Amino acid sequence: MAKDVLCEVSNCTFWDSGNKCAADTIYVVSHKGKQASDHEETDCRTFEPVK
């Protein structure tokens, strides 16, 4: 599990100093169903497809 989840949305309830996310859980979605080809098809900049 990642130690630091970064967030640039400073008006979110879970935003914390240093652009950190303080939420207990993170929910990542795909815009293409359950599979995506690259990060642009998700709401996750660090997405990498399984090889």
Side-chain angles (χ1 to χ4, degrees):
M1 173 85 63
K3 290 182 180 181
D4 296 317
V5 177
L6 301 178
C7 178
E8 297 178 353
V9 185
S10 62
N11 66 329
C12 178
T13 298
F14 301 109
W15 186 87
D16 202 358
S17 62
N19 287 343
K20 303 289 174 104
C21 180
D24 291 334
T25 60
I26 306 298
Y27 180 53
V28 179
V29 298
S30 168
H31 303 291
K32 298 281 187 175
K34 292 195 181 241
Q35 295 200 4
S37 299
D38 57 42
H39 76 87
E40 291 177 349
E41 294 180 357
T42 72
D43 285 334
C44 178
R45 293 280 179 169
T46 55
F47 172 81
E48 291 181 15
V50 176
K51 295 179 181 182

